[in-house]
Amino acid sequence: MFDFDRVIERRGTHASKWDNMARLSGITAPDAIPMWVADMDFAAPPGVTAALTAEVQRATHGYHAYTGSWAAALADWMARRHGVKIDPAWVSPTPGIVSGLGLILQAVTAPGDEVVVFPPAYHAFRKIIVANERRILDAQLVAVQGRYTMDLDALRGKLTPRTKVVFLCSPHNPGGTAWTAEELRALAALCAERDLILVSDEIHCDLVFAGARHTPTMTAAPEIADRLITCVAATKTFNLAGAHVGACITSSPALKKRLDARIAASGLGSYNGFGMIATEAAWRTGEAWLDALLPYLAKSRDLFDARIEAAAPGARSMHLDGTYLAWVDFSATGLAPDDVASRVADRARIYASPGPQFGPGGETWLRFNFATPRPILEEALGRLDDAFADLRTGK
């Protein structure tokens, strides 16, 4: 019903993933393959295309009226997919999750305040914290039996009176860990104990594979509702990043009032109509598409993991509970990180996300986006096989 093997030419279409690759990576080969930024190369759900087509054909594109149907569609989606009840009145639309994080920092912290991040973690966390003149407090994740865990005892000893907010990525990016309810409750208890606001970025919550489960933080720890903001979007799930629409959700009237005040002060209370239409249509019509996508991605995950570990003896891909972003450790290959990066970029002509940009703990890692049609993935895997061939043959 959905052809995820179909290759769609994205070069020359203002696709950042493809058209910014040479500028950002220095890989100028015309056949370079982008496996960096987290967007997919698949066509969006047909219901999204139909909704946007209808809007284009109306040919009147004035200001978008926020009538409540968008938040209602989100609430319905979260109830169906995750069993969590959300009042649409708790929802504040933002121009994407990262901008929402910046608005939250402006609403509840002051310059110089500390924000906890669990590295290696989504690099935009670090950028938005620094851009808002706040300080990063790293709480290093620990790999235990092939998945990341939080060392909350170590974090407790690092907290200071200037620590105000915790940024959590759930499921984790880049490690793909789906946090358990027990892990979330433990973090929530620490936030309550030390008067911290917890911001749970759950943008990848729909992209969790069979055998794993996403637990919304608001479900795991309802007792901290007064200090919890959850961030979600349709953009990662349905490949709509260009829509630039996200949602910050909190049942705390005090937190929502402060956040909405920052949104108003930034002139962001008028919304991108095309983005709102696309994302509402995705939540209302995209379920069958997503149900077909997930096993396709799971097969690509397993194929990528097996092939990269065979191509570069000693390489280890962290098993992903969710996301479409393979997180690969090359430390046991005997190669220096610069050598690994050079082989991937120069020999394989692949742009992968450098591990160090995810903070401490990412030094020997690369992140690969495998959410692309299987023919492109197979081509990339063949190139990686060639790039590390000497490790297998000794030549």
Side-chain angles (χ1 to χ4, degrees), residues 83 101 235 326:
L101 298 177
T235 50

Side-chain angles (χ1 to χ4, degrees), residues 22-33:
R23 179 177 65 83
L24 296 176
S25 70
I27 305 171
T28 58
D31 64 346
I33 297 176

Side-chain angles (χ1 to χ4, degrees), residues 113-125:
D113 283 347
E114 295 173 341
V115 183
V116 174
V117 174
F118 294 97
Y122 178 42
H123 53 87
F125 282 2

Side-chain angles (χ1 to χ4, degrees), residues 232-251:
V232 299
T235 50
K236 283 288 183 288
T237 305
F238 298 104
N239 201 36
L240 302 172
H244 277 290
V245 182
C248 296
I249 306 167
T250 181
S251 62

